[in-house]
């Protein structure tokens, strides 16, 4: 979780009035929190998390009041994709020292431990709903991640600066205008 609410609003949209967290507390366990007044490690339940949710809800830290996962913001995501039901936590990711131009600010679709989202098709539906704008989308299982959008061929042309074939020229140009030219060593890797 990070506090860049304005960027989240501009890239993901405002928080939707018709979606609520309900019984979901996925972000309270899965995410690392590194706010000035509140920190917690990733993949560890917050010390304030009880069996019925946040035990300090009325006075919870600012980051918890202002941060929302993508499911709370992106209307195109399936309504059934609430993280505790889908096994997918989607959020905007910020990398301070990105290895390539698609890593600095991106959407991360995180497949949670034990999730059946790949097998039951929910992962594909969620990715379809997110991969339609000039924001990079990664899919991860918490340790490894894979760039899903743009696709490999477009990403290679954007990062290498090599001439794109005619059918990809508009798309490559659009990504370059947004993300700039990067040297070949910046090509995205799976890790
Ligand atoms: S993961 Fe999303 S839906 Fe679940 S509690 Fe956090 S913000 Fe709410
Ligand atoms: S303080 Fe409450 S809302 Fe914030 S992470 Fe902990 S349990 Fe969740």
């Amino acid at each position: 979780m990070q506090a860049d609410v304005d960027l989240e609003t501009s890239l993901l949209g405002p928080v939707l009035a018709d979606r609520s967290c309900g019984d979901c507390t996925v972000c309270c366990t899965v995410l690392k929190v590194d706010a000035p007044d509140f920190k917690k490690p990733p993949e560890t339940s917050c010390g304030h998390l009880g069996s019925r949710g946040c035990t300090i809800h009325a006075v919870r830290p600012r980051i918890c009041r202002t941060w929302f996962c993508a499911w709370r913001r992106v209307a195109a995501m399936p309504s059934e994709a609430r993280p505790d039901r889908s096994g997918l936590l989607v959020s905007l990711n910020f990398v301070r020292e990105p290895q390539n131009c698609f890593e600095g600010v991106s959407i991360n679709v995180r497949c949670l431990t034990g999730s059946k989202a790949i097998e039951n098709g929910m992962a594909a539906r969620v990715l379809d709903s997110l991969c339609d704008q000039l924001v990079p989308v990664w899919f991860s299982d918490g340790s490894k991640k894979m760039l899903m959008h743009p696709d490999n061929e477009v990403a290679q042309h954007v990062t290498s600066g090599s001439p794109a074939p005619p059918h990809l020229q508009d798309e490559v140009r659009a990504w370059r205008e947004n993300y700039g030219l990067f040297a070949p060593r910046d090509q995205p890797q799976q890790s």
Side-chain angles (χ1 to χ4, degrees):
M1 284 189 209
Q2 299 198 17
D4 211 337
V5 175
D6 289 338
L7 192 54
E8 289 184 324
T9 299
S10 67
L11 294 179
L12 300 178
V15 177
L16 299 166
D18 61 348
R19 289 191 182 172
S20 61
C21 297
D23 295 331
C24 180
T25 57
V26 167
C27 56
C28 301
T29 295
V30 171
L31 294 182
K32 173 182 176 180
V33 183
D34 189 14
D37 58 344
F38 177 54
K39 301 184 191 309
K40 84 164 208 55
E43 304 295 345
T44 305
S45 287
C46 172
H48 300 298
L49 185 60
S51 58
R52 300 181 65 187
C54 180
T55 57
I56 58 165
H57 190 262
V59 291
R60 65 198 187 285
R62 183 177 181 278
I63 187 75
C64 304
R65 298 169 183 273
T66 56
W67 188 91
F68 298 92
C69 72
W71 180 78
R72 293 287 313 265
R73 292 177 177 273
V74 180
M77 283 181 66
S79 57
E80 316 90 278
R82 199 176 83 181
D84 59 328
R85 295 172 175 158
S86 65
L88 299 169
L89 176 58
V90 183
S91 58
L92 209 57
N93 258 25
F94 304 90
V95 175
R96 287 198 180 102
E97 296 180 0
Q99 299 300 303
N100 60 72
C101 64
F102 299 116
E103 217 179 34
V105 179
S106 66
I107 293 171
N108 184 39
V109 180
R110 181 191 294 233
C111 197
L112 305 175
T113 304
S115 172
K116 299 277 187 280
I118 294 175
E119 294 90 325
N120 66 26
M122 182 56 82
R125 290 178 62 196
V126 166
L127 286 167
D128 276 351
S129 71
L130 297 168
C131 296
D132 63 349
Q133 51 180 333
L134 289 173
V135 181
V137 178
W138 296 79
F139 189 83
S140 80
D141 64 2
S143 57
K144 291 179 292 184
K145 66 180 186 181
M146 187 185 312
L147 183 65
M148 307 300 290
H149 178 66
D151 68 28
N152 258 346
E153 189 176 2
V154 171
Q156 296 289 339
H157 287 295
V158 173
T159 55
S160 70
S162 62
H167 70 287
L168 294 179
Q169 280 175 359
D170 288 348
E171 188 178 356
V172 169
R173 186 182 307 116
W175 281 102
R176 280 199 190 135
E177 283 171 4
N178 278 265
Y179 292 89
L181 268 175
F182 283 72
R185 66 178 172 78
D186 294 324
Q187 289 177 5
Q189 305 285 325
Q190 295 178 15
S191 58

